[in-house]
Amino acid sequence: MSTEPRVAPRVAVIGLGWLGEPLAKALQALGWRVAGTTTTEAKAERLRSEGINALVWDINEPLPSAWPVGLAADTLVLCVPPGKVDDYAETLERVAALAAKAGVSRLLFTSATSVYGGLGSKTEADAGPDSARGERMLSAEQAVRHSGIPLVLCLRLSGLVGGNREPGRFLAGRSFEGGNEPVNLVAQEDLLRFIPAIMARHDWPEVLNASAPHHPSRREFYTRAAQLRDLPPPQFDGGGEGKRIDGSALSRWLNLDYRVTDWFAWLAARKAQD
């Protein structure tokens, strides 16, 4: 029997924000050596005090010639939304290429279901953007695949809720079209179960969707969400068939069910926790 100590796996999370920070802490609790990036020294200091090797790094600034030593890792998680990065696809490809040269062997990219256009049910094979945001996200997926990292998984996230993202405030008191369109959402608490389970495996597929199986209409969901927060409900017209994102392949692959299977029950439970 070997007496050599077990070497903890290493992960670097680029973007310790709404998802990246709690993910880093979840992985740390599972025994991972975690490093990551933020854009302010105050936040970096706080995270370092909590055992996460946080570096201040704004990837909108000129990139270094080599991967930062403090981010040495086997697995890289790119967790940066497009609205915070200039030249999104090109920048992410350059970041991932630096990581590849430093020996990073796996990349999990948190993409988005905006890569799906049209109407009806959408599975992983149905990418075809009909918006500028979707085109940008699909270009970013293609770019990180060309970075030189051997194993890349693009995890396409539906609308993000939970944590400090309170859906009752998203649309309150405003007017919108498409009231009959289904919502496609995934809760932070489910992502913090799914992503560590993904990280524990090495037989990654190229693409997976993360989207809860309940798809009420936008009118039903956002009206109820606003009411529970004592906010004026949004107003919708009656149109819109919309698209429905199928996130079941992720659940089957991991043999792990979504906890959020009823968005109205989830909204009520959050309200009860206040």
Side-chain angles (χ1 to χ4, degrees):
M1 180 182 297
S2 173
T3 59
E4 294 184 5
R6 179 179 176 271
V7 177
R10 302 173 302 169
V11 60
V13 181
I14 306 301
L16 292 167
W18 176 87
L19 178 58
E21 179 179 343
L23 174 61
K25 292 176 178 177
L27 292 170
Q28 181 187 49
L30 292 171
W32 287 73
R33 290 167 55 193
V34 182
T37 69
T38 184
T39 57
T40 68
E41 183 57 40
K43 185 171 183 179
E45 288 182 3
R46 174 176 63 79
L47 291 169
R48 287 194 290 266
S49 73
E50 297 169 359
I52 295 170
N53 184 25
L55 280 65
V56 177
W57 188 17
D58 184 348
I59 61 175
N60 285 311
E61 299 296 328
L63 298 179
S65 59
W67 188 247
V69 173
L71 296 177
D74 314 296
T75 302
L76 175 65
V77 178
L78 282 177
C79 199
V80 185
K84 295 189 177 182
V85 180
D86 302 328
D87 301 320
Y88 191 60
E90 296 85 351
T91 298
L92 294 189
E93 183 176 11
R94 292 198 297 268
V95 169
L98 285 176
K101 291 178 181 177
V104 170
S105 58
R106 302 193 305 172
L107 166 61
L108 189 150
F109 171 45
T110 56
S111 183
T113 55
S114 58
V115 301
Y116 301 112
L119 306 176
S121 180
K122 302 295 177 180
T123 68
E124 286 79 356
D126 296 324
D130 58 4
S131 68
R133 187 177 187 279
E135 292 282 1
R136 179 171 53 178
M137 191 60 74
L138 190 59
S139 294
E141 289 189 6
Q142 295 164 347
V144 297
R145 291 196 187 285
H146 297 151
S147 65
I149 294 178
L151 188 60
V152 177
L153 167 58
C154 295
L155 185 64
R156 293 171 176 164
L157 310 182
S158 284
L160 303 172
V161 294
N164 64 0
R165 293 180 63 87
E166 171 50 56
R169 301 188 185 99
F170 288 177
L171 309 183
R174 299 158 62 192
S175 298
F176 297 90
E177 298 178 351
N180 293 335
E181 293 181 11
V183 298
N184 297 287
L185 301 168
V186 63
Q188 185 186 71
E189 52 260 48
D190 268 331
L191 292 175
L192 295 180
R193 296 167 59 244
F194 288 141
I195 296 178
I198 290 170
M199 302 280 279
R201 295 181 59 155
H202 295 271
D203 57 336
W204 288 4
E206 291 188 356
V207 177
L208 286 168
N209 294 334
S211 188
H214 187 209
H215 303 273
S217 73
R218 298 177 73 213
R219 176 186 294 103
E220 293 171 317
F221 177 78
Y222 287 109
T223 297
R224 183 59 178 152
Q227 289 172 339
L228 284 170
R229 297 292 165 180
D230 297 319
L231 296 170
Q235 301 299 312
F236 292 97
D237 71 13
E241 176 186 345
K243 61 190 176 187
R244 186 174 281 101
I245 306 300
D246 184 347
S248 62
L250 170 63
S251 181
R252 290 193 301 272
W253 179 63
L254 290 175
N255 193 26
L256 191 63
D257 292 333
Y258 287 84
R259 281 188 179 156
V260 179
T261 56
D262 183 325
W263 284 115
F264 301 118
W266 180 85
L267 288 169
R270 277 176 64 87
K271 176 63 175 176
Q273 292 170 0
D274 289 352

